[in-house]
Amino acid sequence: MTPTGRHRSAAPTGVAGILALILIVGIIGLAFAGLMIAGGTSGFGGSWGYIRRLVLVSLGQAALSTLLSLILGAALALALARRERFPGRSLMIAAMNVATVLPPIVAVFAIVAVFGRSGWLGDLTASVGLDLGSWLYGLPGILIAHVFFNAPLAARSFLAALASVTPEHWRLASHLGLPPATIFRIIDRPVLLREAPGIAGIVFLLCFTSFAVVLALGGGPNVSTLEVAIFEALRFEAEFARAAILALLQIVICLALLLPIGTLARRPQQTVSSGVIFRRTDRDIRSLRILDAFILLAGAALIMPPLLAILFRGIAGIPALVDPNVTRAIWTSLAIGIPAGLIGTALALALADLSRRLRIGAAAPRAADAVGLVAIMILVVSPMALSAGLFIMLRPVINPLSVGLPLIVLVNALMALPFAYRQIEPPLTLAAERYGSLADSLGIGGMTRVRLIDWPLLRRPLIVAIAIAIALSLGDLGVASFFGTGDLVTLPVLIHRLLGTYRMEEAASVSLLLSLLVLGLFLAAQSWSGDWIARAR
């Protein structure tokens, strides 16, 4: 078999992937063309000084949020890796899993319910004669919310990487009698440093493009993000040129970060282990036990109270769910979330297949990386700008509000695509790397190849990808707010409106309902796939 003929059945003929690539690039290009056309008639209408300040504030809060998330995430991962058994470990990991999949607007409510002036902390300080005021609204609230989301995400990624250290390393460390400081320096630190750039890049992008958290907790224009500024320019001022410039600026800044840190770079192959289990040798050090207990308590103090607030306050407000508006919002959210998740996963699968064919079949890794870049790049495209551009381009043909629901589904599908792609692409490529040559030599192709080669490795990641995509679409606030009308209200939009009118009990009940929908989705995915999303061992 010649090199060029290797994996003939995986040749780069992925028509579905090519069509998906054309569709994605075409939609993004069409949307920005619409913004630029509308902006050409309305003018810029903005201040470059304002934009410079906005970028600096966005970069500052995102950098600080990322730094705090990585520090706490790495500390939690080390503590959990050293403490393999302690009362509440499974509960702690489950709480971390739930925190990372909560819709942002629900997390905002939970954080206000705990740390706000009328929350648990406010009641506690008021009992001793202190008044918290509005301290939560501004940078402190944004940092708390971002760390609440992203520290568990970082911890799970670090913990999975630490768990991949082969037992032979620990056996050698035990034989040499290495002290804890040396173990950290030669075993733990290299693993953390290897994972940190990719995790930091994703967390930074999530914080830099944050919308719901900053909109609800920013406290005004002094602490804002480009995403919120794009929403305000489109929704309240109809400044299309300013929105287009801000959206393009956001893409440029994010890509300038994404490319150097190599978030698309492949992880190095792990050393094959003998399979013998060997526990960490630093788990019995007394000083580390005390340190780990402190770290775990600090992590629990951040993660557990907001989750409990959702549960307790939501149960107390259950009677508020008997409302036609809530029922209508549930069906609207499902009508958006389910098709958006399925479409986003289908697009991700097509792109992942094209990337696999280019990388393995055509031996064109750069072209495969370019496909992956397009898939991940959607993460930095403003969904508000995308929605507005499509709205403008459709306006001469049809009333965009009459097709508001399909537009929301389409934009949410694109926004969910990067997360689904990250789940699907690695196992799909791994199947070709492991079994492609053997399948070619046996003449296995078509659906038989999919069933025997791809599906065993793809089944669980695919189900998880669908769950992630649907959950993200169910929790969307930005796109639904942009197209939202009196008849088109989703659960996140309803929660935001209830919070804005200080109807906290009703907001609590709807937040609990949305949380249960998302949690039920992942429990179903766990049952169907036999695994928990991104489960940390």
Side-chain angles (χ1 to χ4, degrees):
M1 181 180 296
T2 63
T4 56
R6 188 167 62 97
H7 296 176
R8 290 186 303 271
S9 59
T13 58
V15 176
I18 295 172
L19 291 177
L21 197 63
I22 294 173
L23 177 66
I24 294 166
V25 175
I27 290 174
I28 295 175
L30 188 68
F32 276 94
L35 287 177
M36 298 307 294
I37 291 172
T41 61
S42 63
F44 173 49
S47 166
W48 290 108
Y50 160 76
I51 292 179
R52 183 169 58 252
R53 184 186 64 79
L54 186 65
V55 170
L56 291 176
V57 171
S58 299
L59 289 171
Q61 68 84 14
L64 192 54
S65 297
T66 302
L67 179 62
L68 294 175
S69 298
L70 258 66
I71 291 174
L72 180 57
L76 281 173
L78 283 170
L80 288 168
R82 286 191 288 253
R83 306 299 138 208
E84 297 175 352
R85 293 181 181 179
F86 66 87
R89 187 180 192 273
S90 298
L91 179 62
M92 182 72 178
I93 292 178
M96 290 165 52
N97 285 328
V98 173
T100 56
V101 300
L102 274 183
I105 191 62
V106 174
V108 167
F109 162 77
I111 288 168
V112 172
V114 174
F115 300 102
R117 184 176 186 178
S118 60
W120 294 350
L121 182 62
D123 293 341
L124 180 63
T125 55
S127 66
V128 295
L130 297 177
D131 185 4
L132 290 179
S134 58
W135 77 277
L136 187 64
Y137 295 93
L139 185 60
I142 293 173
L143 292 178
I144 290 174
H146 283 165
V147 175
F148 170 79
F149 271 122
N150 297 309
L153 174 66
R156 291 189 314 165
S157 300
F158 282 133
L159 183 58
L162 291 170
S164 68
V165 175
T166 58
E168 286 74 15
H169 285 77
W170 298 114
R171 181 182 295 109
L172 182 60
S174 177
H175 290 332
L176 296 177
L178 298 181
T182 304
I183 289 175
F184 175 78
R185 180 170 56 84
I186 68 174
I187 297 180
D188 293 328
R189 188 175 68 178
V191 174
L192 297 177
L193 291 178
R194 184 193 72 199
E195 300 294 323
I199 299 172
I202 294 299
V203 171
F204 185 90
L205 292 181
L206 293 173
C207 296
F208 187 76
T209 59
S210 179
F211 174 73
V213 168
V214 179
L215 182 68
L217 297 176
N222 290 331
V223 182
S224 186
T225 60
L226 288 170
E227 194 69 33
V228 174
I230 292 168
F231 174 77
E232 292 172 346
L234 293 170
R235 182 73 173 177
F236 303 120
E237 302 172 24
E239 291 285 354
F240 299 106
R242 187 200 307 175
I245 290 173
L246 292 175
L248 289 172
L249 186 61
Q250 177 170 290
I251 292 175
V252 170
I253 293 173
C254 291
L255 286 182
L257 171 74
L258 186 67
L259 295 177
I261 66 174
T263 54
L264 298 177
R266 295 185 162 271
R267 295 176 62 182
Q269 293 184 351
Q270 301 297 322
T271 304
V272 177
S273 170
S274 63
V276 179
I277 298 175
F278 202 91
R279 299 177 64 190
R280 292 180 63 108
T281 58
D282 56 353
R283 66 187 184 279
D284 297 324
I285 305 297
R286 180 179 176 82
S287 59
L288 287 181
R289 283 185 174 182
I290 297 173
L291 176 62
D292 291 344
F294 174 78
I295 292 170
L296 292 171
L297 286 174
L302 172 68
I303 298 170
M304 297 300 293
L307 298 180
L308 293 175
I310 296 171
L311 179 62
F312 293 152
R313 299 193 67 165
I315 291 175
I318 281 180
L321 294 178
V322 186
D323 187 329
N325 292 328
V326 176
T327 303
R328 187 161 52 246
I330 292 172
W331 288 114
T332 303
S333 294
L334 293 176
I336 292 171
I338 294 175
L342 294 176
I343 293 171
T345 305
L347 291 173
L349 183 60
L351 289 183
D353 178 62
L354 178 61
S355 176
R356 185 261 300 266
R357 291 173 183 271
L358 290 170
R359 188 178 303 279
I360 306 299
R366 291 187 178 181
D369 288 341
V371 173
L373 178 61
V374 172
I376 303 300
M377 187 184 70
I378 301 173
L379 185 63
V380 306
V381 176
S382 167
M384 260 68 69
L386 202 58
S387 303
L390 294 175
F391 185 95
I392 292 167
M393 296 302 285
L394 288 174
R395 191 165 50 183
V397 181
I398 189 175
N399 179 11
L401 292 179
S402 65
V403 290
L405 190 65
L407 281 177
I408 296 176
V409 169
L410 176 61
V411 175
N412 273 295
L414 292 179
M415 294 301 107
L417 189 156
F419 299 93
Y421 181 85
R422 289 176 66 86
Q423 294 288 328
I424 293 172
E425 189 273 335
L428 202 60
T429 301
L430 182 62
E433 290 174 345
R434 283 185 178 178
Y435 310 115
S437 296
L438 178 61
D440 286 341
S441 64
L442 296 176
I444 300 174
M447 290 306 299
T448 302
R449 183 174 183 138
V450 172
R451 179 172 56 86
L452 297 178
I453 305 298
D454 295 334
W455 183 245
L457 289 177
L458 186 61
R459 179 176 63 91
R460 291 180 178 180
L462 182 62
I463 293 174
V464 169
I466 293 173
I468 291 174
I470 295 177
L472 289 171
S473 301
L474 285 175
D476 168 67
L477 175 65
V479 180
S481 296
F482 182 82
F483 282 106
T485 62
D487 298 327
L488 190 58
V489 177
T490 63
L491 288 173
V493 172
L494 182 59
I495 295 170
H496 185 254
R497 291 181 181 179
L498 293 172
L499 288 174
T501 55
Y502 300 99
R503 296 157 66 182
M504 301 301 291
E505 287 190 3
E506 296 176 59
S509 62
V510 180
S511 296
L512 177 60
L513 176 62
L514 182 54
S515 301
L516 291 176
L517 281 176
V518 173
L519 183 59
L521 177 67
F522 282 99
L523 289 176
Q526 176 190 8
S527 175
W528 294 335
S529 68
D531 197 12
W532 175 253
I533 172 176
R535 185 172 185 172
R537 295 191 298 273

